[in-house]
Amino acid sequence: MRTFPGKVREIRIDLMGQAAAWIICPKKVIPPPGRYLWASHPGAILGTPLFLERALEDGFLAAPPVPLSWEPGDRLTLRGPLGRGFKLPLSTRRLALASFVPGAARLLPLAGQAIQIGAEAALYCDFPLPGLPSALEASPLSDLPEALDWADYLALDLSLKQLPLLREYLGGDTRNLAIPPGQALLSTDIPCGGTAECGVCAIKTRRGWKLICEDGPVFELGEVWDGTV
């Protein structure tokens, strides 16, 4: 796969103390929601996956976290976009977004897509949030179980370690829980960026073992979680 030059124009620290980065790069390299770029920094041994928070005229704002050691002016080598991202059905009319990791930056582009097609969107998160579009309603994660009866599509951002606890997060201890239509962006270490099939990011799915770096990081919810603990 081809590589492209990139440059760090600006570093922003969010309310959780994580760094986001304004990356200058060719427009064709900007990753769509849920997919990522593999960024190699000359001062680092391992690369960094970069996810879209917001597209800009000359690049994009990469969602946190990016390395705190990065500085404006740093040169990067970018590869991608990689992996599989979100695919929001055009029939979606009520989208529930839930972030179980600090911030909700990686879900915001999907909220923008929903608003563009005339769908309602609601965000559920317990962490401090950046400025949100006026059309996007924000609520705590404790309200998410109620949204399952409202939403016709569910998009999640959570770590691989949190996946076994999803039933509890969705209120499954107190209700019969059916798997809603939706997708989950799974976070874990991906040290090779999809080049070595090292297996560190392997996950067992209904279709066998998959690699989050290649077959994800976004999966159909029913593929990685069967509704049980």
Side-chain angles (χ1 to χ4, degrees):
M1 178 175 287
R2 291 181 60 191
T3 60
F4 302 87
K7 183 179 179 180
V8 179
R9 170 169 286 183
E10 182 179 331
I11 295 292
R12 302 179 182 181
I13 306 299
D14 68 9
L15 297 173
M16 297 294 296
Q18 300 182 120
W22 180 352
I23 305 296
I24 300 174
C25 68
K27 186 175 183 179
K28 62 182 177 181
V29 180
I30 298 174
R35 298 185 71 190
Y36 66 98
L37 290 182
W38 191 249
S40 299
H41 187 284
I45 298 175
L46 298 178
T48 299
L50 300 180
F51 290 85
L52 174 69
E53 177 175 343
R54 178 161 52 93
L56 304 167
E57 291 184 1
D58 58 353
F60 70 106
L61 182 62
V66 302
L68 290 170
S69 60
W70 285 11
E71 297 181 352
D74 286 354
R75 301 282 181 174
L76 305 172
T77 300
L78 306 174
R79 179 168 53 86
L82 304 173
R84 298 178 185 272
F86 287 108
K87 292 183 179 179
L88 185 66
L90 293 177
S91 60
T92 302
R93 290 297 172 261
R94 295 178 299 277
L95 172 66
L97 305 150
S99 179
F100 300 92
V101 297
R106 301 194 299 185
L107 293 177
L108 293 182
L110 194 62
Q113 285 187 358
I115 293 170
Q116 285 182 350
I117 64 174
E120 298 178 65
L123 172 64
Y124 299 85
C125 184
D126 286 341
F127 298 97
L129 295 169
L132 300 176
S134 58
L136 182 60
E137 178 184 351
S139 301
L141 280 170
S142 59
D143 290 348
L144 181 59
E146 300 176 7
L148 299 183
D149 296 324
W150 167 82
D152 55 25
Y153 207 75
L154 177 64
L156 309 177
D157 187 355
L158 71 165
S159 71
L160 183 58
K161 294 180 179 179
Q162 291 172 317
L163 189 60
L165 302 175
L166 190 54
R167 183 178 181 87
E168 178 182 347
Y169 292 143
L170 298 182
D173 292 338
T174 58
R175 56 180 283 171
N176 294 323
L177 189 62
I179 302 173
Q183 295 178 301
L185 194 167
L186 300 179
S187 302
T188 191
D189 292 333
I190 46 175
C192 73
T195 59
E197 296 186 352
C198 63
V200 170
C201 67
I203 178 176
K204 190 174 183 179
T205 74
R206 290 188 173 187
R207 299 181 180 180
W209 286 95
K210 302 290 184 180
L211 297 176
I212 289 177
C213 65
E214 290 184 354
D215 305 302
V218 175
F219 293 89
E220 296 299 320
L221 189 53
E223 184 180 356
V224 295
W225 183 66
D226 61 6
T228 63
V229 175

